[in-house]
């Protein structure tokens, strides 16, 4: 994919290299009747998500780049029709990764119950793109699925637990997804998830029971202390009364 990405990156650099070229590009956009408020963005080559955003931002301007290629002899790295189709395929593939990254990176809402859902979205797109008409994409996705399976096997148990605790999904969604992923061998993995959630339940149950007992003992002790404080003057009164009675008896 490097040559495709490089051609798009050089195209964006070309139109951003001078004020004249920016203005020329804007005129071609108006002539093409393209309604897009943002110009193509330039990526940071070491960050895949910014590369995705760059590729996505150029797609609405495909006709403009094609016109520019015909009018400007110095513009020699315009993507071919085949490469533009490849850009589209790449964006469809990377979009789900970008969305998952944004969702899981959220800081204003719980995210652990979303991991499994986002990972499954990645799986769905990989399955779709594995049937792509583009042989390069098919080869790439085949390799990606190998890594996906490796990480899925390492993390699915941990990621299933929050889904079960989500009242919208519970165990039903987990069973459905694991049956789709593992097929006839799913029962083993489903049982593993059930055992994990039961172990958590028992551990938390024991901890809560212990805390209740401790709190109850502390509460009883506090209440007894409060009662003692409230009756301290009465106790003193009784002691004095007994002492007076005893003195009277001795005097008699």
């Amino acid at each position: 994919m490097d040559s495709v990405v490089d051609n798009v990156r050089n195209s964006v650099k070309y139109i951003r290299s001078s004020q004249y070229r920016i203005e020329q590009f804007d005129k071609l956009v108006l002539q093409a009747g393209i309604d897009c408020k943002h110009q193509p963005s330039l990526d940071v080559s070491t960050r895949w998500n910014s590369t995705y955003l760059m590729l996505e931002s150029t797609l609405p301007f495909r006709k403009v780049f094609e016109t520019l290629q015909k009018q400007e002899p110095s513009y020699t790295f315009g993507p071919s029709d085949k490469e533009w189709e490849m850009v589209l395929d790449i964006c469809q593939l990377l979009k789900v990764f970008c969305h998952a990254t944004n969702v899981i990176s959220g800081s204003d809402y719980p995210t652990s119950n979303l991991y499994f859902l986002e990972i499954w979205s990645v799986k769905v797109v990989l399955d779709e793109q594995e049937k792509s008409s583009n042989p390069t994409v098919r080869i790439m996705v085949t390799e990606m699925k190998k890594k996906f399976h490796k990480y899925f096997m390492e993390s699915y148990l941990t990621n299933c637990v929050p889904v079960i605790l989500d009242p919208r999904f519970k165990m039903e969604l987990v069973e459905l997804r694991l049956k789709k992923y593992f097929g006839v061998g799913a029962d083993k993995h489903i049982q593993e998830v059930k055992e994990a959630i039961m172990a958590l339940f028992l551990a938390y149950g024991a901890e809560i029971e212990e805390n209740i007992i401790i709190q109850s003992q502390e509460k009883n002790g506090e209440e007894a202390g409060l009662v003692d404080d409230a009756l301290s003057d009465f106790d003193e009164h009784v002691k004095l009364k007994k002492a007076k009675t005893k003195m009277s008896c001795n005097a008699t």
Side-chain angles (χ1 to χ4, degrees):
M1 295 294 183
D2 284 347
S3 61
V4 179
V5 175
D6 286 342
N7 280 343
V8 173
R9 183 180 293 120
N10 289 328
S11 295
V12 176
K13 286 181 179 179
Y14 180 87
I15 65 172
R16 292 163 64 99
S17 61
S18 69
Q19 185 61 35
Y20 169 76
R21 285 178 177 171
I22 292 174
E23 292 174 357
Q24 184 187 31
F25 185 81
D26 288 340
K27 288 179 182 179
L28 293 175
V29 170
L30 288 174
Q31 291 174 10
I34 297 172
D35 184 18
C36 189
K37 297 179 181 179
H38 304 288
Q39 285 191 339
S41 61
L42 187 62
D43 72 330
V44 178
S45 59
T46 55
R47 296 180 59 191
W48 71 264
N49 55 330
S50 73
T51 300
Y52 158 70
L53 294 173
M54 177 188 72
L55 295 173
E56 186 187 44
S57 71
T58 59
L59 284 171
F61 302 101
R62 175 177 173 176
K63 289 184 179 179
V64 177
F65 283 112
E66 290 172 347
T67 302
L68 194 65
Q69 194 170 9
K70 296 175 183 177
Q71 294 182 357
E72 291 293 329
S74 58
Y75 177 55
T76 58
F77 26 76
S80 64
D81 290 342
K82 184 178 180 181
E83 287 177 328
W84 277 117
E85 293 303 317
M86 195 172 289
V87 170
L88 185 60
D89 288 337
I90 296 171
C91 286
Q92 289 176 346
L93 186 60
L94 292 182
K95 183 177 182 179
V96 67
F97 285 94
C98 188
H99 180 269
T101 301
N102 291 335
V103 169
I104 293 174
S105 299
S107 58
D108 298 328
Y109 51 85
T111 56
S112 60
N113 59 315
L114 303 176
Y115 292 171
F116 189 84
L117 304 180
E118 294 302 321
I119 289 169
W120 193 264
S121 296
V122 171
K123 177 194 178 304
V124 170
V125 171
L126 290 177
D127 288 345
E128 291 174 352
Q129 292 298 320
E130 195 175 29
K131 303 170 186 175
S132 171
S133 59
N134 189 315
T136 304
V137 172
R138 289 200 305 272
I139 294 170
M140 180 177 68
V141 169
T142 298
E143 293 302 313
M144 292 174 74
K145 289 191 73 172
K146 291 178 183 178
K147 282 195 174 183
F148 180 91
H149 180 70
K150 173 189 174 185
Y151 294 125
F152 186 85
M153 293 303 295
E154 291 177 358
S155 65
Y156 80 88
L157 181 60
T158 306
N159 290 330
C160 281
V161 172
V163 177
I164 298 170
L165 299 177
D166 190 324
R168 298 171 298 172
F169 308 120
K170 300 185 179 179
M171 191 67 194
E172 188 174 358
L173 179 63
V174 169
E175 289 185 356
L176 177 66
R177 292 288 184 258
L178 294 185
K179 284 178 181 178
K180 283 189 175 181
Y181 192 87
F182 293 110
V184 293
D187 289 346
K188 169 189 172 183
H189 301 284
I190 292 172
Q191 184 60 32
E192 187 179 10
V193 173
K194 288 181 177 179
E195 290 173 359
I197 200 73
M198 181 57 68
L200 281 173
F201 174 79
L202 294 174
Y204 277 106
E207 184 177 334
I208 290 172
E209 185 177 2
E210 183 180 349
N211 288 337
I212 289 174
I213 292 172
I214 293 172
Q215 290 173 6
S216 178
Q217 291 173 345
E218 290 176 349
K219 185 177 181 181
N220 291 336
E222 289 174 359
E223 287 179 349
L226 290 172
V227 171
D228 290 343
D229 291 342
L231 296 175
S232 59
D233 59 335
F234 180 72
D235 289 340
E236 187 66 25
H237 169 75
V238 171
K239 288 178 182 178
L240 288 173
K241 186 176 180 180
K242 285 182 178 180
K244 287 179 181 180
T245 302
K246 186 176 181 181
M247 289 175 63
S248 297
C249 291
N250 290 336
T252 303

